[in-house]
Amino acid sequence: MIRNSRILTLQGSISILGSDDATTCHIVVLRHTGNGATCLTHCDGSDTKAEVPLILNSIKSFSDHVQCGRLEVHLVGGFSDDRQLSQKLTHQLLSEFDRQEDDIHLVTLCVTELNDREENENHFPIIYGIAVNIKTADIFRASFQDRGPEEELRSARALAGGPMVSIYDAKTEQLRIGPYSWMPFPHVDFWLQQDDKQILENLSTSPLAEPPHFVKHIRSTLMFLKKYPSPTNMLFPGNKALLYKKNEDGLWEKISSPGN
């Protein structure tokens, strides 16, 4: 599972890409049908204008030499939220993809009103998460219990407002996390003292639609930010990334340690 990051891969050690817990956020899948290069990212609307070219360029870096095939995009997420954040993000994404010089084919559009259900006069997303099969290009509804290496670290960076980054090197088939830096989270002790209702209402874009584990996840992330107010030296000695690669059992295994 990824959030505020992007993963690009070709057929190799990874066969499934996915992300979940999208309420007002949108999940974007861009794929080149010629060589199967696939990028999946979780967009929150913080800088869509910069993110769409990053997504496109990551695919094109593997596809420039491919004569056949086309670029296909799939957009899933959002719902009819009260603040219309989903609607705004849908418009941003469609506008930015349309603005690109490349010919991009919109294949799946399941966003905002098209991904909305109503229950007791409250609105919720129908689909919170998706996955894509790299080999077959099938896209399906999904949720994840295992969220990959360094989940707290990646979540802390997202909550601290870090821009979108690529966390997977498709050429080496390595997950590359960091090095990251962030400013101390403002009023972290105050937020940790608040009850669940206050955290939900103030740290979510859509309090009524969040999954049950949202508050627990936010508390855990806030604790991490309190423990590591400045992560560069504490988590990335020597300013080196944390590297992971799939082992023979298909599990992520750390292959290097900072400072080695």
Side-chain angles (χ1 to χ4, degrees):
M1 192 283 292
I2 63 171
R3 189 178 184 89
N4 204 32
S5 309
R6 70 183 191 277
I7 290 183
L8 173 125
T9 187
L10 299 165
Q11 294 185 22
S13 60
I14 290 182
S15 57
I16 301 290
L17 296 179
S19 187
D20 65 357
D21 287 359
T23 53
T24 57
C25 296
H26 291 19
I27 301 169
V28 179
V29 176
L30 183 65
R31 187 175 189 272
H32 193 281
T33 61
N35 64 1
T38 305
C39 179
L40 182 145
T41 187
H42 190 124
C43 295
D44 62 7
S46 57
D47 195 2
T48 308
K49 187 174 182 178
E51 291 169 356
V52 168
L54 287 175
I55 297 167
L56 183 60
N57 289 335
S58 65
I59 290 289
K60 289 172 64 177
S61 67
F62 286 91
S63 306
D64 286 345
H65 64 285
V66 178
Q67 299 299 317
C68 60
R70 68 180 192 174
L71 290 166
E72 295 184 344
V73 67
H74 309 263
L75 305 178
V76 179
F79 68 109
S80 298
D81 64 280
D82 292 339
R83 298 166 63 187
Q84 296 190 325
L85 297 174
S86 302
Q87 186 180 59
K88 180 180 178 182
L89 180 52
T90 294
H91 177 74
Q92 288 176 349
L93 284 167
L94 290 174
S95 296
E96 289 305 321
F97 273 111
D98 185 56
R99 192 172 285 120
Q100 305 307 306
E101 294 181 357
D102 299 87
D103 190 12
I104 304 170
H105 298 260
L106 179 62
V107 177
T108 303
L109 185 68
C110 182
V111 294
T112 311
E113 295 91 345
L114 302 175
N115 190 44
D116 182 79
R117 68 178 179 87
E118 189 173 353
E119 181 179 329
N120 297 326
E121 299 184 353
N122 294 317
H123 291 263
F124 303 88
I126 298 172
I127 298 174
Y128 283 82
I130 62 168
V132 54
N133 185 309
I134 303 303
K135 297 180 180 179
T136 66
D138 290 335
I139 293 179
F140 49 93
R141 190 172 180 171
S143 61
F144 303 90
Q145 292 183 336
D146 182 358
R147 297 170 183 271
E150 309 292 345
E151 179 193 355
E152 284 190 325
L153 171 56
R154 292 183 288 115
S155 296
R157 180 188 175 278
L159 189 61
M164 180 185 289
V165 292
S166 176
I167 62 172
Y168 184 71
D169 187 334
K171 295 178 180 178
T172 63
E173 298 188 1
Q174 293 177 0
L175 200 64
R176 184 182 185 91
I177 300 172
Y180 302 145
S181 62
W182 55 67
M183 298 296 290
F185 193 82
H187 313 298
V188 65
D189 288 321
F190 168 81
W191 288 115
L192 284 169
Q193 293 170 4
Q194 303 308 300
D195 60 25
D196 290 0
K197 181 181 179 182
Q198 288 297 318
I199 288 179
L200 187 61
E201 291 181 351
N202 290 280
L203 297 182
S204 168
T205 59
S206 50
L208 294 177
E210 293 291 356
H213 55 267
F214 175 82
V215 172
K216 181 180 179 181
H217 171 72
I218 291 295
R219 285 193 186 279
S220 175
T221 305
L222 288 170
M223 286 296 296
F224 190 92
L225 286 167
K226 180 178 179 178
K227 184 176 182 181
Y228 300 105
S230 181
T232 305
N233 293 325
M234 302 175 75
L235 300 175
F236 305 102
N239 205 34
K240 293 185 177 181
L242 308 179
L243 301 178
Y244 289 82
K245 193 165 186 175
K246 291 268 188 174
N247 61 23
E248 294 179 354
D249 297 320
L251 302 176
W252 289 111
E253 186 175 80
K254 199 169 187 178
I255 60 172
S256 70
S257 299
N260 287 351

